[in-house]
Amino acid sequence: MALKQVSSNKCFEGFQKVFEHDSTELKCRMRFGIYLPPKADTRKCPVLYWLSGLTCTEQNFITKAGHQQAAAEHGLIVVAPDTSPRGCNIEGEDESWDFGTGASFYVNATEESWKTNYRMYSYITEELPQLVNSNFPADPERMSIFGHSMGGHGALICALKNPGKYKSVSAFAPICNPTQCPWGRKAFSGYLGLDQTKWEPYDATLLAKSYSGSQLDILIDQGKDDQFLAAGQLLPDNFIAACTERKIPVVFRLQQGYDHSYFFISTFINDHIKHHAKYLNA
């Protein structure tokens, strides 16, 4: 899988780069951002994967979150993929902002129109790490994952479905119980069909209820003034209840006055980088 460099910018003595490649899982060209800290010049570094939310590309996180300084200090490679396949000429892929392009929900679709390209779960957990590990100074034994909103959902399900694969997980305003919220029900019915038993393996709250894997310490930040929290799209209380029941450690911080935006993310990003560094550099 040949990588083509799209951009490279020096940042905190490391480099913020963007690459594109032909994806075997998604059958299209894909881009991802990667921050290479200065330590990557001399040694293999752990990798932290970021999953963005609805409508985003790889650009939102790398230009708005301000994670590079902390990543440089802790010696972490940070990879930020796109949020969906693009330009696949699937009927309906560009009709709405919360389904199709920019809205993969990080599942492997099973419905006829979507199942060939919309395999983001396998792309994130298998193809992308293999690509990163073979082309960059990445330590394949040390990786973690975090994300925002739809990407927070993605990060939680990737960690809960693969015990031991990720050293740590965190999220900003994640969609915690997608089988019970309008965004999730729309996406899951479109990608996975109307049989709701097929939705359950992609719902963090339901996965937490049956989790019996290795210890996983979870950090979640949620803005108290997040309009999507009020609209019942995120449902963090359901996830916290499931984790409490299974004795999965969760630090849940409700942040007074903050909304759903990258202003919120950039305020607390350093805390999340530190959370992951604690496990990745142990």
Side-chain angles (χ1 to χ4, degrees), residues 196-247:
Q196 296 190 17
T197 59
K198 291 182 177 173
W199 303 1
E200 293 168 6
Y202 295 108
D203 185 309
T205 297
L206 300 177
L207 290 168
K209 283 181 180 177
S210 59
Y211 185 78
S212 58
S214 53
Q215 167 106 357
L216 196 60
D217 284 343
I218 303 169
L219 170 63
I220 295 176
D221 273 313
Q222 172 64 61
K224 195 172 181 185
D225 288 4
D226 185 328
Q227 69 271 38
F228 301 116
L229 178 65
Q233 295 283 19
L234 308 178
L235 306 174
D237 291 350
N238 297 357
F239 181 70
I240 293 160
C243 289
T244 304
E245 193 182 303
R246 298 297 296 179
K247 296 185 169 55

Side-chain angles (χ1 to χ4, degrees), residues 67-120:
H67 64 288
Q68 290 94 345
Q69 185 170 10
E73 286 168 9
H74 292 286
L76 305 185
I77 294 171
V78 184
V79 176
D82 201 349
T83 52
S84 77
R86 290 186 188 267
C88 297
N89 299 314
I90 301 168
E91 189 180 343
E93 69 183 342
D94 294 320
E95 280 177 12
S96 54
W97 64 275
D98 57 358
F99 182 75
T101 302
S104 71
F105 271 79
Y106 302 103
V107 302
N108 283 346
T110 53
E111 286 296 281
E112 195 58 45
S113 301
W114 306 94
K115 66 181 184 182
T116 302
N117 304 99
Y118 275 65
R119 296 183 49 79
M120 283 294 285

Side-chain angles (χ1 to χ4, degrees), residues 13-31:
E13 301 306 311
F15 284 90
Q16 177 63 61
K17 296 174 180 274
V18 174
F19 288 88
E20 67 177 24
H21 70 104
D22 288 317
S23 166
T24 52
E25 285 288 356
L26 310 178
K27 310 287 188 291
C28 68
R29 294 288 282 173
M30 288 295 286
R31 287 188 173 190

Side-chain angles (χ1 to χ4, degrees), residues 150-219:
M150 175 185 76
H153 141 78
L156 291 172
I157 64 167
C158 287
L160 290 165
K161 283 165 76 68
N162 297 279
K165 187 179 185 87
Y166 301 97
K167 299 289 185 194
S168 50
V169 61
S170 73
F172 293 85
I175 300 170
C176 289
N177 197 181
T179 60
Q180 300 302 315
C181 77
W183 277 341
R185 295 174 76 84
K186 176 178 179 177
F188 286 2
S189 59
Y191 296 134
L192 304 170
L194 298 179
D195 177 359
Q196 296 190 17
T197 59
K198 291 182 177 173
W199 303 1
E200 293 168 6
Y202 295 108
D203 185 309
T205 297
L206 300 177
L207 290 168
K209 283 181 180 177
S210 59
Y211 185 78
S212 58
S214 53
Q215 167 106 357
L216 196 60
D217 284 343
I218 303 169
L219 170 63

Side-chain angles (χ1 to χ4, degrees), residues 30-45:
M30 288 295 286
R31 287 188 173 190
F32 63 89
I34 183 166
Y35 180 71
L36 298 166
K39 283 179 183 160
D41 288 343
T42 55
R43 71 184 84 157
K44 288 194 169 188
C45 295

Side-chain angles (χ1 to χ4, degrees), residues 127-144:
E127 183 181 358
L128 187 59
Q130 287 166 14
L131 194 63
V132 168
N133 294 341
S134 6
N135 288 278
F136 301 98
D139 181 346
E141 299 303 312
R142 292 185 292 160
M143 65 180 192
S144 289

